Amino acid sequence: MNHLLGQRAQEYLKQLADCSASEIGVTRFPFTPEHKRANALLTAWMQEAGLSVHMDEAGTLVGRYDAGNNAPTLLMGSHQDSVKQGGAYDGIMGIVLPIVALDYLNRQGRKLPYSVEVLAFADEEGVRFPTALVGPRALAGTIDESVVDRKDKGGTSLRTALSDFGLEPDKISQLKRNPDNILGFIETHIEQGPVLEHEGLPLGVVSAICGIERHHLTFTGQAAHAGTVPMHLRKDALTAAAAITIEAEKLAIKLPDLLATVGQLDVTPNVPNAVPGRVSMVIELRSPVDEVREKAGKMLQAFAKETAQLRELGCEITRTYSQQATECDDSLQLALARAIVSTNNRVHHLPSGATHDASAMADLTRVAMLFVRCKKGISHNPAEYASDQDMGLAIDALIALLSDLQC
Ligand SMILES: [Zn+2]
């Protein structure tokens, strides 16, 4: 059966991919005509699946499969928005698959002992406005209400965008949910990396969402003529930057669960015939284990200072950003693992290196994530792809999970 349901999900995602501001890939920012068109499709499919649908004041489309009698509620879903010229699966697949799973249960006339809500969050990527995760933060009651005054590049504030979308931004603070009546939040998402494909597995269970920290580092030496200053008299800022880049890589290979990236480097004067006098760079660390990340950050700060001393350079290093890891709930992970086993697949647990709506939902309730293999690990790219078969297996797993979950 999974293949047919997977094909249906693929067909839905194709229609949603047409709700795009760009011809190439999918560009669907929050509170745009594309968002409205995608919501219209999702609303129709939710209603067909027996869900009652409304949009909350933060722009989250909510489809409810109601069990009545004050039954507790399981939350599922993900985000509808994409990056600029992104793919057709990131986020929105995690809305479509639960709808198809609930539709299947509804057609079977199956009643669940709990209600289910499928949430289509407006904005996870944070591309349009200099904020993100407004929907889940509103539910968790962790939203900073001043974010509605932030503006997009065209000068439109989030407040205006919400109002133009028919919403009342002043009521966002009333969306906070009572956690006592919530069973948890389960987000289905493409992996956005190559691990499941490498393992030959269609599905995976997320163990934790990585914490992140960034260090801004500047080495200051002396810009000089590349032909006249001998090697031993140079104060080259770039060789110091290279040394710490390699050190970060070594550390990430040595310490378990650590990812280290130097993705941004500004070299001055950045010409072929001058010794670089100044380098500003950003070292980013991610880990599902906060202690590992923090230890690595301190080690790299010390290494930067030693390197600067050794090479007689100025050095300024500051940790400019840090975000804690989100643990996925053990019993929900077990429930997902059982559901995967029921599809005759081996269970693989892996951390998520990317942030998700689940990170913000963790402030409200326990969270778990089901990862679906994506082709070559490609994401945030028009080439993003998950197969009918893999999505069909994910739907089967969700059906098994919904059927077996204890409340
Ligand atoms: Zn996403």
Side-chain angles (χ1 to χ4, degrees), residues 79 90-91 124-125 189 192 356:
H79 59 98
D90 177 2
E124 190 270 343
E125 302 288 0
H189 206 284
Q192 302 183 280
H356 295 287

Side-chain angles (χ1 to χ4, degrees), residues 1-12:
M1 94 179 144
N2 67 61
H3 194 54
L4 285 176
L5 297 182
Q7 274 175 358
R8 203 155 115 221
Q10 195 73 275
E11 172 54 32
Y12 283 1

Side-chain angles (χ1 to χ4, degrees), residues 215-221 236-238 240-241 244 264-268 276-283 300-301 304-305 307-309 312-320:
H215 297 258
H216 273 72
L217 167 59
T218 302
F219 284 120
T220 312
D236 185 334
L238 183 57
I244 193 162
Q264 192 184 329
L265 208 65
D266 294 306
V267 181
T268 312
R278 189 172 184 275
V279 172
S280 288
M281 62 197 290
V282 182
I283 305 169
L300 289 171
Q301 288 223 356
K305 285 170 193 160
T307 303
Q309 211 169 24
E312 297 177 20
L313 304 171
C315 169
E316 267 178 57
I317 183 161
T318 316
R319 191 171 90 166
T320 50

Side-chain angles (χ1 to χ4, degrees), residues 250-325:
K250 273 193 210 159
L251 201 59
I253 290 167
K254 195 168 78 183
L255 293 178
D257 300 325
L258 180 69
L259 298 161
T261 307
V262 175
Q264 192 184 329
L265 208 65
D266 294 306
V267 181
T268 312
N270 205 21
V271 292
N273 56 354
V275 175
R278 189 172 184 275
V279 172
S280 288
M281 62 197 290
V282 182
I283 305 169
E284 191 193 82
L285 303 174
R286 295 189 186 222
S287 174
V289 184
D290 289 330
E291 299 80 59
V292 169
R293 167 176 55 78
E294 281 161 8
K295 183 178 160 196
K298 283 179 190 145
M299 287 169 81
L300 289 171
Q301 288 223 356
F303 184 88
K305 285 170 193 160
E306 277 165 34
T307 303
Q309 211 169 24
L310 208 69
R311 293 170 178 263
E312 297 177 20
L313 304 171
C315 169
E316 267 178 57
I317 183 161
T318 316
R319 191 171 90 166
T320 50
Y321 178 80
S322 81
Q323 177 190 315
Q324 300 241 305

Side-chain angles (χ1 to χ4, degrees), residues 87-139:
Y89 301 83
D90 177 2
I92 198 136
M93 186 197 75
I95 304 165
V96 167
L97 301 193
I99 294 174
V100 176
L102 286 169
D103 185 55
Y104 176 83
L105 291 171
N106 188 46
R107 281 172 204 272
Q108 302 275 310
R110 291 272 288 282
K111 290 266 171 268
L112 297 173
Y114 52 88
S115 300
V116 182
E117 285 183 16
V118 180
L119 308 172
F121 294 118
D123 183 5
E124 190 270 343
E125 302 288 0
V127 179
R128 180 175 175 191
F129 294 99
T131 182
L133 300 167
V134 170
R137 282 180 183 153
L139 299 180

